[in-house]
Amino acid sequence: MAISTYLATLKWGTTATAVAKVIDIKDFPDLMGEPNMLETTTLSDAAQTFIPGIKSMDSMAFTYNYTKADFEAVKADEGKPLFYELAFSDGSAFVWQGSHTATLPGKGVDEVIEAGISIAPSTSVEPKS
């Protein structure tokens, strides 16, 4: 059975057992990067051939509705080595380590002010066991 994004929660803390929800998120990024493709083509091949290389990970950008309190909470933990968890309503979760930066994107007329948290992962993202 499929699940929705309803109740998806980003948590973080100084240890894996101390993670807690700090903000309510509006979206989440791709969690597991695709591997780089390493070309193995020879002059005998009629088409290019590849093998998978190292998984490629970009910064992980999450969006939340700006409030002064939430922004200050994100800023307070900025740059610290932390444990992160993205949990879903069915009880499953994904965990990784990294550090984050607070972001505040530009906005225009008649828009909700949003803020962001950009996480630089230092480990791979794994299903929580």
Side-chain angles (χ1 to χ4, degrees):
M1 175 192 262
I3 62 170
S4 77
T5 55
Y6 177 62
L7 297 178
T9 306
L10 176 65
K11 302 174 184 180
W12 70 79
T14 55
T15 66
T17 56
V19 296
K21 183 174 106 172
V22 178
I23 56 172
D24 285 315
I25 57 172
K26 296 180 74 169
D27 58 28
F28 58 87
D30 294 345
L31 294 183
M32 297 179 179
E34 295 182 16
N36 292 322
M37 290 289 112
L38 306 178
E39 186 176 357
T40 58
T41 310
T42 70
L43 295 176
S44 299
D45 294 321
Q48 284 183 305
T49 61
F50 297 87
I51 60 171
I54 296 172
K55 283 188 178 181
S56 178
M57 294 275 300
D58 289 328
S59 64
M60 304 170 78
F62 296 78
T63 306
Y64 63 96
N65 290 325
Y66 174 87
T67 68
K68 182 179 179 184
D70 284 351
F71 190 77
E72 288 174 349
V74 171
K75 281 294 276 180
D77 288 332
E78 188 174 52
K80 297 177 183 176
L82 297 169
F83 290 78
Y84 296 89
E85 178 179 310
L86 183 64
F88 298 138
S89 61
D90 67 352
S92 63
F94 294 84
V95 295
W96 69 98
Q97 294 176 49
S99 62
H100 69 255
T101 303
T103 65
L104 193 59
K107 289 293 169 185
V109 174
D110 201 27
E111 292 183 305
V112 171
I113 297 175
E114 296 172 328
I117 177 171
S118 180
I119 302 171
S122 61
T123 65
S124 61
V125 176
E126 300 294 337
K128 185 176 180 179
S129 46

